[in-house]
Amino acid sequence: NMTGRTIIALVALLAAAVAAAPEEPRDHKISFASESFETGELARLRKLYNFDEMISKGSSELEQMLLLKNWVFRNIPYRQNYEYSQMHNSLQILQLATANIGVLCTQLSAVYTQLAVAMGWTSRYVYNRNPAGDEHSTNEVWSNQLAKWIYIDTTWNLHVEKSGVPLSALEVRREWLANKGRNVVYVF
């Protein structure tokens, strides 16, 4: 149910966010660790919704990651609902979705990250903010197949490509700085 204006606004938000960000990561290091996908709530999440079977339809790791993106988009309604804005537990968010209660982009990106980790992939949040203060939460997932990060937006069910290759958030930013994104394709 996206209108042309919504898509244009999303593209403008992403462009402004990536253009306003520092060009390279800062010198300080931020530690990163992932839970094992075989333990705790991640294992429960994976079994409860039978994600192994769902992504098995993909013939490659990338196709499986995109199937997961599509599943989140199709199964969790997006709404400007701030009542649950602090919720980041996928099991709780999926219970809301079962009741057709919509959530923010932050919750959609939380679900994708946790599902990706439950599938054994490495994923992280990407917070986009433009100079006007507009924000949007998305993800990156590490592809062993492509040996790079892939930008994933579950709110709009999209990723970004250049010459048929999915891009990371930093690569999207560089494309916008170099030539206003003329060579990128938004794949919905």
Side-chain angles (χ1 to χ4, degrees), residues 12-14 16-17 20 82 105 127-137:
L13 176 63
L14 177 62
Y82 291 89
C105 57
Y127 294 104
N128 306 287
R129 180 183 294 173
N130 68 16
D134 299 319
E135 300 175 330
H136 184 55
S137 181

Side-chain angles (χ1 to χ4, degrees), residues 26 29 43 50 52-53 90 97 108 123 125-126 130 154 164 181:
R26 305 220 188 265
K29 294 184 179 184
N50 201 14
D52 288 314
E53 182 179 328
S90 289
L108 290 165
S123 182
Y125 301 105
V126 175
N130 68 16
T154 53

Side-chain angles (χ1 to χ4, degrees), residues 109-151:
S109 63
V111 171
Y112 186 86
T113 291
Q114 291 168 30
L115 291 178
V117 172
M119 300 312 298
W121 302 321
T122 301
S123 182
R124 61 187 179 190
Y125 301 105
V126 175
Y127 294 104
N128 306 287
R129 180 183 294 173
N130 68 16
D134 299 319
E135 300 175 330
H136 184 55
S137 181
T138 59
N139 302 87
E140 282 187 314
V141 62
W142 179 260
S143 169
N144 290 321
Q145 175 187 345
L146 299 174
K148 62 182 286 187
W149 290 102
I150 309 250
Y151 178 81

Side-chain angles (χ1 to χ4, degrees), residues 90-111:
S90 289
L91 291 169
Q92 293 172 346
I93 295 166
L94 289 167
Q95 284 179 336
L96 293 175
T98 301
N100 200 30
I101 297 172
V103 294
L104 297 167
C105 57
T106 307
Q107 284 67 53
L108 290 165
S109 63
V111 171

Side-chain angles (χ1 to χ4, degrees), residues 15-47:
V18 297
E23 187 163 330
E24 295 297 329
R26 305 220 188 265
D27 290 338
H28 62 275
K29 294 184 179 184
I30 300 172
S31 61
F32 180 85
S34 289
E35 292 181 71
S36 169
F37 67 92
E38 298 172 324
T39 60
E41 287 192 346
L42 292 176
R44 183 171 165 232
L45 180 63
R46 185 175 178 163
K47 284 183 179 183

